[in-house]
Amino acid sequence: MDPIRLDPWGTAQIDDYSELFDLFGIQPIETVIKDIPHPHRHIRRGVVFGHRDLELVLRAVSDDGPFAVMSGIKPTGDFHLGSKMTAEELIFFQSLSNKAQAFYCMADLEAYADNGIPLERSAKIAVSNLADLLALGLDPKRTYVYKQSEETRVMNLSFIFSRSVTQNMLNAVYGERNISLYLSALVQAGDILLPQTKDFGGPKPVVVPVGADQDPHIRLCRDLARKHQSRYGFLLPSATYHKLARSLSGSLKMSKRDPKSLLTLNDDPEVAKKKIADALTGGRETEEIQRKLGGEPEKCVVYELGLFHFIEDDPHVKRIYEECRSGARLCGECKAEHAEIVANYLKAHQRKNRSFIDQARSLLAG
Ligand code: SF4
């Protein structure tokens, strides 16, 4: 079997996340879960499966000390469910303490490097993306939002870091890539370490919630933090890792590169219902076989919509799982139930998004 290769810019699928523990030194989330106050649904349900050094952040929470949570988005289009996962985790960590400061980067340079989106266009998209984040519950009073292309402190850090990075190091972490992607990886290291600079109160624990495929950025950044520790006093950034949200066809991680099977927070609720009607399930060939053998929720993208994204109530998710497994539930009615839940969520979210557009615009204007 091929070894797992994590590619932050690719669409790879990971079948067994526990392999990442030995391969890359990610720790199982179970090692710290008892110390996480009121764990978010992603954590309770094992969607967040791993971490690096989360203890540092949890200690800051229990000691009422300062810490930061850092994330961002490539403003290339509507907020899809993968972006929603990271945003919810950012908001969750921000909610753990009044001393938590959130940092959110609009990665317009990466959007240009990876997707060819001009900065003028990504600036418009960023307003809608930030309104989504506010609608999800971000507290703007304890958040620093910035555009990557305008934050000169990040640029300066990445230039400084570039002196200690060789082509061989980048090849080992990312494989042979376009120079613009290497550059954006260095800029991301600047983003992640920005909260620990003097202007933001100096060294402190920082957690970066990411999808598993983003670990190469975390490893590179931790390496750079170590190399520049004597000058800046950086603590190695912590990270949490979630499983990748699959596209509705089930084949790839949910990606803007696969729009037909992508669900976004701006989708027309009726269009979203149709997409769900076409989604991959873990159902059997016939109703009769399903009644006899039960379905396979582990393979089912529809089940995943509730588990990862849209059903907050744990007993409800458990009931769906058990009914599916026992054959008491059939895919048609199950899809219709999920489609209704998602459509209602989208209607409510889109109302909130519209009410936050002006605030998002003024936050991004600085
Ligand atoms: Fe998925 Fe529901 Fe079908 Fe089970 S019954 S396989 S959860 S759609």
Side-chain angles (χ1 to χ4, degrees):
M1 207 167 59
D2 287 343
I4 297 176
R5 184 158 188 102
L6 298 177
D7 177 0
W9 299 291
T11 51
Q13 196 173 321
I14 301 166
D15 294 321
D16 182 359
Y17 286 89
S18 66
E19 286 185 27
L20 305 186
F21 301 146
D22 285 342
L23 274 175
F24 300 111
I26 293 172
Q27 294 294 304
I29 196 69
E30 288 75 21
T31 57
V32 290
I33 200 163
K34 66 172 185 354
D35 299 318
I36 304 177
H38 315 296
H40 185 270
R41 103 176 85 79
H42 294 163
I43 298 172
R44 297 196 305 273
R45 298 177 186 170
V47 178
V48 169
F49 65 93
H51 75 99
R52 288 186 196 272
D53 287 347
L54 190 60
E55 297 88 345
L56 289 179
V57 170
L58 296 174
R59 206 170 305 131
V61 173
S62 68
D63 295 350
D64 202 23
F67 72 94
V69 52
M70 199 282 144
S71 186
I73 190 170
K74 270 193 304 177
T76 56
D78 290 335
F79 227 71
H80 64 64
L81 297 188
S83 313
K84 173 177 174 283
M85 289 174 78
T86 312
E88 282 189 286
E89 290 156 16
L90 174 97
I91 292 162
F92 167 72
F93 282 112
Q94 187 189 43
S95 75
L96 286 182
S97 159
N98 288 332
K99 301 274 173 61
Q101 180 76 14
F103 288 72
Y104 200 75
C105 167
M106 292 296 174
D108 51 357
L109 291 179
E110 196 177 353
Y112 177 71
D114 193 19
N115 307 79
I117 308 262
L119 298 190
E120 308 77 56
R121 196 162 136 227
S122 60
K124 292 200 180 98
I125 298 170
V127 171
S128 169
N129 289 167
L130 182 55
D132 280 321
L133 207 65
L134 294 166
L136 289 168
L138 183 77
D139 177 355
K141 291 194 289 304
R142 285 187 287 119
T143 304
Y144 177 58
V145 187
Y146 62 94
K147 288 186 203 147
Q148 210 170 40
S149 60
E150 293 176 359
E151 182 42 90
T152 50
R153 290 168 290 199
V154 167
M155 297 301 139
N156 293 343
L157 280 175
S158 51
F159 259 93
I160 290 162
F161 295 158
S162 68
R163 278 179 57 80
S164 50
V165 177
T166 65
Q167 178 78 38
N168 277 350
M169 270 172 73
L170 293 172
N171 267 347
V173 177
Y174 297 107
E176 192 175 333
R177 308 304 290 249
N178 189 304
I179 293 289
S180 66
L181 294 182
Y182 288 156
L183 270 176
S184 66
L186 285 176
V187 173
Q188 279 208 31
D191 288 323
I192 294 173
L193 292 170
L194 180 71
Q196 297 198 60
T197 55
K198 220 163 51 201
D199 286 357
F200 293 98
K204 64 176 80 57
V206 179
V207 57
V208 190
V210 290
D213 59 344
Q214 302 299 306
D215 186 50
H217 289 324
I218 301 293
R219 276 184 275 135
L220 176 71
C221 184
R222 284 167 62 91
D223 195 20
L224 291 169
R226 203 177 284 115
K227 285 187 168 134
H228 293 268
Q229 219 157 26
S230 57
R231 175 165 173 192
Y232 293 97
F234 291 139
L235 305 182
L236 301 198
S238 310
T240 55
Y241 298 91
H242 57 238
K243 296 176 181 172
L244 304 179
R246 288 184 293 161
S247 69
L248 296 173
S249 64
S251 55
L252 303 165
K253 79 173 180 181
M254 196 159 277
S255 158
K256 292 170 190 166
R257 294 171 220 264
D258 183 15
K260 278 201 297 290
S261 63
L262 174 76
L263 206 54
T264 82
L265 295 185
N266 285 357
D267 275 353
D268 178 312
E270 291 307 314
V271 173
K273 280 185 179 178
K274 289 200 187 83
K275 287 185 182 176
I276 294 169
D278 292 336
L280 177 87
T281 71
R284 307 285 182 178
E285 302 78 52
T286 66
E287 183 179 328
E288 194 188 354
I289 302 176
Q290 184 141 342
R291 290 267 184 231
K292 196 163 150 213
L293 299 180
E296 297 178 280
E298 297 81 0
K299 294 184 180 169
C300 178
V301 173
V302 177
Y303 175 69
E304 202 170 282
L305 287 176
L307 179 76
F308 282 29
H309 309 290
F310 293 108
I311 303 181
E312 197 55 48
D313 181 45
D314 290 342
H316 187 175
V317 174
K318 187 161 176 267
R319 180 160 47 81
I320 292 170
Y321 182 90
E322 286 169 355
E323 288 175 1
C324 174
R325 270 258 162 249
S326 71
R329 174 178 280 262
L330 295 176
C331 295
E333 67 205 41
C334 188
K335 278 180 168 178
E337 180 186 339
H338 282 84
E340 210 48 48
I341 292 170
V342 172
N344 288 337
Y345 180 96
L346 293 181
K347 277 181 214 153
H349 177 84
Q350 288 165 13
R351 263 196 309 276
K352 282 195 236 165
N353 172 298
R354 285 193 290 276
S355 73
F356 282 116
I357 288 285
D358 287 346
Q359 189 177 5
R361 197 173 286 120
S362 73
L363 281 167
L364 280 167

